[in-house]
Amino acid sequence: MRAALTVALILAAGPSLATCPTRADLRQGIVLVQNEPTFIRADIELRPDGFQEVRLIRDADDNRSVVSLTYTHPLAPASRTEGRETRLISYDADTSVLDALPSQGDVTLSATETSGTGSTTRRILFDHTGTDTRSILDCTYDVWTVRMMEAAADGSIDTREVTYAPDIGAVLSARRIGPDGPETLYDYTWIGTSADVAR
C-alpha cells in the first residue's frame, strides 16, 4: 500500500519529478507503472546474475499479488515465482541471440519449463515486426515490436506482441493476440528511477 501510495503521489505531482531512465540506471533500478484498469508497478534491476523484476499487482477489487521474475534476456524469462509456485525456464541456445532480432528478422528457441508438476518444452518464435519510438511522460525510447509465438506439444499456439525498449532493457507493453482479437496485458504509462520513487 505504501509503495502504491508513493507512486500515486509522484503521478499526482506530474512528470517533472521523474527522470528518463537509461540502461545505466538499471544497476540502481527503474520503475514502470500502469494505473488502470489494473494497477501494476514493475521494479526492474540489473544484478550480476542477470535481470530481476518484481511486479506488484492490484486489481479493481483490491486483490493483490506479487510476481518475481528473473531473465537471461529482457525478452526471455528464466524464472517466474507467484505465491508458492516457481517455474524455471531454460533455453536451448544463448538468449543473447535476441539482440540481433532487427537484422535477423526472427529467432526460434526451445524453452523447457520446470515446476513442481513436471516439465514441458515448447518452441518460441520471436518475430521482429518493426521499429518505432514510444513516449512515456516526457521520455521517448526507440522500441522494437516483437511478436512471440509459443507452440506447445499439443499443437496449440499462444501469441503475444510486446513493445521492447532495448536502450533500457525493458518491455513497455504486452498484449495477447487471440482468435477474438488483441487483449492488452499491460501498458505502462509512468517511468522513473528507483531514486525518483524514493524522493
Side-chain angles (χ1 to χ4, degrees):
M1 179 69 172
R2 184 177 177 186
L5 179 61
T6 301
V7 173
L9 289 173
I10 288 174
L11 294 175
S16 60
L17 284 179
T19 57
C20 292
T22 66
R23 203 173 185 97
D25 292 308
L26 281 171
R27 299 215 176 271
Q28 283 71 47
I30 66 170
V31 179
L32 291 156
V33 176
Q34 168 185 284
N35 278 313
E36 296 178 340
T38 300
F39 174 85
I40 304 173
R41 170 181 163 165
D43 288 70
I44 304 171
E45 185 179 352
L46 181 59
R47 298 180 182 173
D49 56 343
F51 284 90
Q52 312 283 319
E53 177 181 355
V54 177
R55 283 185 202 159
L56 307 176
I57 303 166
R58 187 180 70 237
D59 67 18
D61 297 322
D62 207 31
N63 296 311
R64 301 167 188 230
S65 59
V66 177
V67 179
S68 298
L69 302 109
T70 63
Y71 297 86
T72 58
H73 183 281
L75 293 172
S79 71
R80 179 185 175 96
T81 301
E82 186 169 3
R84 296 184 178 182
E85 181 185 11
T86 297
R87 292 181 284 165
L88 303 176
I89 305 163
S90 60
Y91 299 88
D92 66 339
D94 187 340
T95 56
S96 65
V97 69
L98 296 172
D99 290 331
L101 269 176
S103 60
Q104 294 290 327
D106 60 69
V107 169
T108 301
L109 298 173
S110 282
T112 300
E113 183 176 298
T114 305
S115 66
T117 58
S119 65
T120 58
T121 299
R122 62 192 187 279
R123 299 284 286 169
I124 307 175
L125 171 66
F126 298 82
D127 184 19
H128 180 275
T129 62
T131 57
D132 205 343
T133 58
R134 165 72 191 272
S135 295
I136 301 181
L137 300 179
D138 293 331
C139 307
T140 300
Y141 297 100
D142 292 328
V143 294
W144 306 346
T145 301
V146 180
R147 184 164 283 201
M148 297 183 289
M149 290 167 274
E150 300 186 18
D154 64 3
S156 62
I157 297 177
D158 180 58
T159 303
R160 286 171 294 132
E161 191 172 81
V162 303
T163 302
Y164 169 59
D167 288 346
I168 53 172
V171 173
L172 304 182
S173 67
R175 59 184 189 161
R176 177 169 283 114
I177 311 296
D180 298 324
E183 172 197 1
T184 298
L185 301 174
Y186 57 86
D187 187 2
Y188 296 120
T189 55
W190 189 92
I191 189 169
T193 65
S194 295
D196 292 328
V197 176
R199 286 180 193 167

